[in-house]
Amino acid sequence: MKAATMKAATMKAATAMASLSTAMATAAATTIDSTHRILESNTPDSTTTCPTSLLDESTVDACLTWQKSESSKYNCTADSYLSSLTPGKYAGLTANYLSFNTEQAFPHFPERAEMLTRCTGGTIIFSEASDIAVDPITDIGSADAVGAEIYDAYVMIYSFTREASSLGLLETLNERIRENTVNLQYEDMFPKVRNMGEYRKDGKTNIDLLMADGDFFTPVIRIDLLERDGLPMPHTWDDLVEIARFYNGTDLNDDGESHDDWGFCIYPRTGSGFNDAWIPELMYSTWATTDQTRGIQEGFLFDEETLDPNIGTGFEKAMNYWKDLWPLSADACITSTFVEGRCAIGIAPPGCWKSVFVNTDEGGVAWRDRTNGDWGPVLRDENGEALWRPTFKDGTYAEPYRLKPLGSLEVIDRETDTLVECGPNTCPKGEKIKHSNELPKDDRANRLVD
């Protein structure tokens, strides 16, 4: 029985929304119904209630007319969340938001902000940070410097916020989340990502960050190719290299061409802009499978005693994998290479795979019309069926298969810097590689050979 170390899905620097102040949190309101009238007091954020019976009929009618005219200025019908808000609730209020790489990473944020303005009257002004690690902290402040506090909220890298949380410089969001659990669906968030926004202080878990994006590298594979060619599911980096070599430069989508078909597609690959910074993280995750064998509490980048870099046999092995894979690879997300069926294996963040798995209309792997560039519509026959999709032997659509992060059958003995077999003593976190007949009945990998 063999076991392989399995690196937990490697998390890139996740981004989060942090709030510094309570802009748009409260606003004075004037409403009226058949029983009560709510009048604004001299205090901007408070109201006073009195019975409508104290007012003459003409005053009540005038107030109702005014309220109706005010409500008609706003449109909260775009979705269920906006319809839950009070029209004009934030009229006249402005919040300053420090974003980063908005066009590529968060293009929907400005769109949502415009919808919020049309509904509530509040305005969110977007600014772009030049350095996501430095600019938010400069504005928030630190133990060494008082922040400018120009902005009300930020896009931040979660791992750079701990000092601000410890100093109490970020608003704790627990109550806001508790009051909006239905709309936020907070418990539906991936637990690992959700926990990254938490900070333990004074015996209490404070939620200082509302996580907006937590990308980890997810491998997927064309399971139809494995079934067709009698190949097993890959479990290790050695398996991955072998399969990538086997399929690279072969016709993977039955279009009669093989010059632009690849054994391996990844994101990011050089040319992806700011996200090129994730490429070393891909390589570190490979390195961790041999050198980090006892869980995430065990470091592997530096020697625990001397802090010298652990550049040794494990690092060399990981880099050699990527030396083998790089010439076999193409982009997985920016181009349509993967969704057109010209890749055997892909590794990319979940946001990339949403275009394949979630968009049911024009999603999925299929031939596409590239007349007007990449990511054209699916090519269909006269009956509306896709001209080509990957299929199993039974003719059903073979959606690419998501598999666990890859591991290693050998791990580093830190005393000797040599590779030894993964076993209960050398890698206690290792997982047994299951045979296909041990998989659940609904696991599509149970049709593959071992």
Side-chain angles (χ1 to χ4, degrees):
M1 182 181 299
K2 291 185 177 181
T5 58
M6 193 64 63
K7 172 65 176 174
T10 303
M11 189 72 65
K12 79 169 184 62
T15 51
M17 294 180 290
S19 174
L20 178 65
S21 70
T22 56
M24 294 192 183
T26 57
T30 301
T31 60
I32 190 168
D33 58 27
S34 60
T35 306
H36 297 87
R37 182 186 181 199
I38 301 177
L39 300 173
E40 292 182 86
S41 72
N42 293 328
T43 305
D45 294 324
S46 63
T47 58
T48 303
T49 303
C50 67
T52 56
S53 58
L54 297 181
L55 303 174
D56 60 75
E57 186 175 349
S58 61
T59 300
V60 174
D61 289 342
C63 285
L64 286 169
T65 301
W66 173 84
Q67 184 181 29
K68 184 176 181 180
S69 66
E70 284 296 300
S71 297
S72 65
K73 294 179 182 179
Y74 307 103
N75 181 1
C76 298
T77 61
D79 58 37
S80 59
Y81 171 71
L82 292 173
S83 65
S84 70
L85 301 178
T86 302
K89 181 177 182 180
Y90 302 129
L93 295 181
T94 298
N96 295 309
Y97 183 66
L98 185 61
S99 187
F100 179 76
N101 197 27
T102 308
E103 184 176 351
Q104 181 179 1
F106 307 103
H108 57 296
F109 277 19
E111 297 173 5
R112 293 294 301 178
E114 290 179 8
M115 295 168 67
L116 185 69
T117 298
R118 289 193 294 269
C119 172
T120 67
T123 302
I124 300 177
I125 299 176
F126 282 75
S127 299
E128 285 287 311
S130 59
D131 189 325
I132 190 174
V134 174
D135 294 351
I137 300 300
T138 300
D139 191 73
I140 293 169
S142 66
D144 299 324
V146 176
E149 297 188 2
I150 296 172
Y151 300 99
D152 301 296
Y154 313 80
V155 168
M156 304 179 69
I157 298 176
Y158 82 99
S159 55
F160 284 75
T161 65
R162 295 323 188 199
E163 183 183 27
S165 290
S166 69
L167 297 172
L169 298 177
L170 297 178
E171 179 190 359
T172 297
L173 305 174
N174 297 52
E175 287 303 317
R176 291 186 186 274
I177 293 172
R178 186 176 293 112
E179 294 169 0
N180 293 278
T181 52
V182 174
N183 288 323
L184 284 176
Q185 299 182 29
Y186 190 69
E187 293 300 321
D188 190 51
M189 190 182 300
F190 187 62
K192 177 64 175 178
V193 176
R194 187 178 65 226
N195 294 343
M196 287 180 172
E198 299 174 354
Y199 184 82
R200 189 77 176 170
K201 183 179 181 181
D202 299 329
K204 179 183 178 183
T205 298
N206 295 330
I207 303 173
D208 288 353
L209 307 173
L210 185 61
M211 302 303 293
D213 183 41
D215 285 338
F216 42 91
F217 298 106
T218 305
V220 299
I221 192 165
R222 285 275 304 280
I223 191 171
D224 61 300
L225 297 177
L226 301 182
E227 183 195 40
R228 183 194 71 186
D229 297 320
L231 296 176
M233 184 67 66
H235 299 288
T236 68
W237 288 99
D238 289 292
D239 296 340
L240 177 68
V241 172
E242 184 178 351
I243 292 176
R245 283 175 173 162
F246 182 82
Y247 285 114
N248 194 63
T250 65
D251 184 5
L252 300 178
N253 64 348
D254 302 330
D255 63 355
E257 298 182 1
S258 60
H259 68 282
D260 200 23
D261 290 35
W262 301 87
F264 186 51
C265 285
I266 58 172
Y267 184 85
R269 206 177 187 281
T270 46
S272 60
F274 171 79
N275 292 335
D276 279 357
W278 301 348
I279 294 174
E281 296 178 31
L282 281 166
M283 298 178 181
Y284 294 158
S285 68
T286 310
W287 181 13
T289 58
T290 58
D291 283 43
Q292 188 180 50
T293 60
R294 300 181 184 277
I296 59 175
Q297 74 278 3
E298 179 187 39
F300 68 97
L301 299 176
F302 301 97
D303 183 274
E304 296 176 0
E305 299 295 331
T306 66
L307 286 183
D308 291 333
N310 275 329
I311 304 300
T313 303
F315 177 83
E316 181 182 7
K317 186 177 180 68
M319 296 307 105
N320 283 334
Y321 285 135
W322 283 96
K323 284 174 63 177
D324 290 337
L325 289 169
W326 204 259
L328 309 176
S329 68
D331 168 76
C333 296
I334 296 176
T335 67
S336 61
T337 306
F338 191 92
V339 297
E340 288 189 294
R342 292 185 284 120
C343 294
I345 307 166
I347 292 183
C352 170
W353 301 132
K354 283 184 179 179
S355 61
V356 176
F357 298 117
V358 177
N359 185 343
T360 56
D361 181 26
E362 290 297 336
V365 177
W367 286 349
R368 292 174 180 268
D369 183 356
R370 285 194 280 165
T371 303
N372 297 316
D374 268 3
W375 288 91
V378 173
L379 291 172
R380 301 181 183 277
D381 60 21
E382 61 276 7
N383 298 317
E385 298 296 327
L387 289 179
W388 176 88
R389 284 192 188 277
T391 58
F392 289 117
K393 291 179 179 179
D394 62 10
T396 59
Y397 172 53
E399 182 179 78
Y401 182 92
R402 290 184 294 173
L403 60 152
K404 285 188 174 184
L406 299 152
S408 174
L409 296 177
E410 296 180 314
V411 297
I412 286 294
D413 180 331
R414 294 198 177 188
E415 295 295 324
T416 62
D417 192 35
T418 57
L419 290 166
V420 297
E421 184 177 356
C422 174
N425 295 324
T426 56
C427 51
K429 297 289 186 179
E431 294 184 8
K432 174 183 176 292
I433 298 174
K434 294 182 178 180
H435 294 288
S436 57
N437 61 7
E438 297 178 287
L439 299 174
K441 290 183 178 180
D442 59 352
D443 191 324
R444 294 176 300 150
N446 60 24
R447 68 181 68 211
L448 303 180
V449 300
D450 293 319

